[in-house]
Amino acid sequence: MVFRKLRNHDGTPLVALDRDDLVLDGVIAADEDDREEKTMHVQRLGKEVYVVRPVPEDGPITPLVETELVQGLVGQEIQKIKTEKPIQKT
């Protein structure tokens, strides 16, 4: 688990993302200059929970509920519900 410090950048809170992770995910190219300008979408999901995603150049951002991560989490919850014993009526 990697921790980053929240920094003040001219009055704006800022957290740096790992460059290697961004390259791995195709957000930036490995040979790009260090001063990339990418539009990112930041979404607050709840208290202390944020999602940061790149905005595609060729279209709108995928709704969060349609992402692979969220779909996987939903599938896990469905499996939990299916495997729980039903409550017996007395």
Side-chain angles (χ1 to χ4, degrees):
M1 183 179 297
V2 177
F3 293 95
R4 305 281 181 191
K5 290 194 182 258
L6 184 63
R7 299 180 295 162
N8 181 349
H9 181 68
D10 296 330
T12 300
L14 180 79
V15 175
L17 302 175
D18 186 76
R19 179 178 177 76
D20 291 337
D21 288 342
L22 295 171
V23 170
L24 179 67
D25 293 336
V27 176
I28 60 174
D31 59 350
E32 281 189 36
D33 184 2
D34 285 339
R35 297 181 177 255
E36 301 95 355
E37 291 289 331
K38 292 286 186 181
T39 301
M40 303 295 284
H41 180 260
V42 179
Q43 186 173 358
R44 182 180 181 273
L45 299 184
K47 184 178 179 179
E48 301 179 352
V49 179
Y50 301 87
V51 174
V52 179
R53 299 185 289 156
V55 176
E57 293 177 11
D58 60 347
I61 193 164
T62 303
L64 195 56
V65 296
E66 295 177 16
T67 62
E68 185 177 323
L69 174 67
V70 173
Q71 290 295 312
L73 292 172
V74 169
Q76 288 177 4
E77 288 301 310
I78 290 171
Q79 286 297 76
K80 281 185 198 176
I81 292 169
K82 286 181 176 182
T83 58
E84 290 178 357
K85 291 183 179 179
I87 299 173
Q88 301 270 336
K89 292 183 180 180
T90 57

